[in-house]
């Protein structure tokens, strides 16, 4: 008969084996990034959703008040990004923003609107969290593990569309686009199961993605235009696009050991 210790060990092995995501990518917060060349499929203008799992080195950014870390972004004279940023002051807590440029913020001019997860909510985060950002009909929204607690949505004109840079910047995972090749606002921590959709994800979609806290298979999900599993099925330095569009990412300033077994 198995001892309790042996039984628990076997159960742990089975749980690991049953995980859909078995690998993630860790970023050093200095210059690590995954670069995905822009394509028409990744530049929807009417509706957009971004989903990713993130586990920062620290959920409360230490250091100066200007510290910002972007787990994903293509914001440079247009586009969008998800960012962790100190809410103000050297001892301030960290909030999460979804910043996106739209054609009309409500006064006839193009500019950025920003949805926010409040620092008081982020202060309760630990370990892996699923973040979903959406845009449709002038409204930018954020969700954390399907919840909207502590979230303030951002609103522009209801007819506003997403505005991208005239010279499209790549999508950076683990940073934002400083240029076509150089990252900025580098993220320290791990990222897993990144997906982009050309639709606003429904409540049912968001629940399916969260899957009780374990990443799920997104194959066949409506509107999926890019899906980077961040280690599963990867061959260094390529992070393959598991959608039908084959917009692969390239690990840049990184080593094969940055793909790890730490997953949600």
């Amino acid at each position: 008969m198995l001892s309790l210790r042996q039984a628990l060990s076997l159960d742990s092995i089975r749980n690991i084996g049953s995980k859909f995501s078995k690998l993630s990518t860790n970023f050093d917060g200095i210059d690590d990034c995954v670069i995905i060349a822009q394509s028409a499929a990744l530049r929807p203008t009417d509706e957009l959703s971004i989903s990713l799992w993130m586990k920062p080195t620290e959920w409360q950014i230490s250091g100066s008040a200007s510290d910002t870390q972007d787990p994903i972004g293509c914001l440079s004279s247009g586009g969008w990004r998800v960012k962790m940023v100190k809410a103000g002051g050297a001892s301030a807590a960290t909030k999460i923003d979804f910043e996106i440029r739209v054609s009309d913020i409500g006064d006839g001019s193009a500019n950025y609107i920003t949805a926010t997860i409040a620092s008081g909510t982020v202060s309760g985060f630990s370990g892996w969290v699923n973040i979903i950002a959406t845009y449709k009909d002038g409204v930018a929204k954020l969700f954390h593990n399907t919840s909207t607690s502590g979230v303030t949505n951002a609103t522009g004109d209801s007819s506003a569309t997403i505005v991208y840079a005239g010279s499209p910047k790549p999508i950076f995972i683990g940073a934002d686009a400083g240029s076509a090749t150089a990252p900025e606002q580098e993220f320290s921590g791990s990222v897993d199961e990144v997906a982009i959709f050309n639709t606003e994800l429904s409540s049912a979609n968001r629940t399916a993605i969260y899957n009780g806290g374990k990443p799920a298979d997104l194959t066949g999900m409506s509107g999926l235009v890019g899906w980077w599993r961040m280690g599963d099925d990867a061959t260094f330095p390529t992070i393959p696009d598991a959608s039908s569009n084959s917009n692969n990412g390239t690990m840049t300033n990184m080593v094969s050991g940055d793909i790890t077994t730490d997953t949600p």
Side-chain angles (χ1 to χ4, degrees):
M1 178 177 293
L2 292 175
S3 69
L4 177 60
R5 183 184 297 273
Q6 289 171 318
L8 287 172
S9 296
L10 286 173
D11 189 53
S12 297
I13 291 169
R14 292 190 190 100
N15 286 338
I16 293 170
S18 67
K19 279 187 173 184
F20 177 69
S21 176
K22 296 178 175 61
L23 299 169
S24 69
T25 299
N26 183 262
F27 299 88
D28 65 6
I30 300 172
D31 59 1
D32 285 358
C33 60
V34 172
I35 300 178
I36 304 159
Q38 272 285 7
S39 73
L42 298 177
R43 291 163 59 88
T45 55
D46 294 327
E47 300 181 36
L48 170 71
S49 296
I50 304 112
S51 173
L52 72 156
W53 295 78
M54 56 186 284
K55 182 184 178 182
T57 301
E58 52 183 6
W59 275 105
Q60 294 301 308
I61 299 173
S62 58
S64 69
S66 62
D67 279 351
T68 299
Q69 297 184 22
D70 295 6
I72 187 169
C74 61
L75 187 145
S76 182
S77 302
W80 50 265
R81 65 174 171 173
V82 175
K83 65 178 182 179
M84 297 176 62
V85 59
K86 299 191 81 172
S91 61
T94 301
K95 63 177 181 172
I96 294 177
D97 287 344
F98 170 43
E99 187 176 3
I100 184 168
R101 188 171 179 87
V102 298
S103 59
D104 185 348
I105 62 171
D107 62 3
S109 65
N111 212 325
Y112 295 96
I113 59 174
T114 304
T116 298
I117 304 175
S119 58
T121 299
V122 175
S123 66
F125 290 175
S126 63
W128 286 96
V129 173
N130 174 237
I131 299 294
I132 290 178
T134 69
Y135 177 81
K136 181 182 179 181
D137 295 337
V139 182
K141 302 177 182 179
L142 274 169
F143 305 86
H144 51 94
N145 292 348
T146 74
S147 174
T148 57
S149 175
V151 173
T152 301
N153 295 332
T155 305
D157 188 84
S158 60
S159 65
T161 56
I162 303 167
V163 176
Y164 295 90
S167 299
K169 298 296 188 293
I171 294 172
F172 282 69
I173 300 175
D176 191 23
S179 70
T181 58
E184 65 180 13
Q185 315 292 9
E186 292 87 351
F187 174 77
S188 176
S190 296
V191 176
D192 198 15
E193 300 294 335
V194 177
I196 295 176
F197 302 81
N198 62 9
T199 59
E200 181 185 43
L201 289 168
S202 67
S203 176
N205 291 148
R206 298 192 301 270
T207 298
I209 289 171
Y210 179 57
N211 191 36
K214 293 183 178 181
D217 189 348
L218 305 184
T219 302
M221 187 167 283
S222 177
L224 182 67
V225 293
W227 179 20
W228 301 272
R229 304 206 50 218
M230 305 309 294
D232 293 85
D233 304 319
T235 302
F236 180 81
T238 301
I239 300 292
D241 179 1
S243 79
S244 60
N245 289 315
S246 301
N247 290 307
N248 297 338
T250 302
M251 297 174 69
T252 304
N253 306 319
M254 304 184 77
V255 297
S256 59
D258 291 325
I259 296 176
T260 78
T261 57
D262 182 10
T263 61

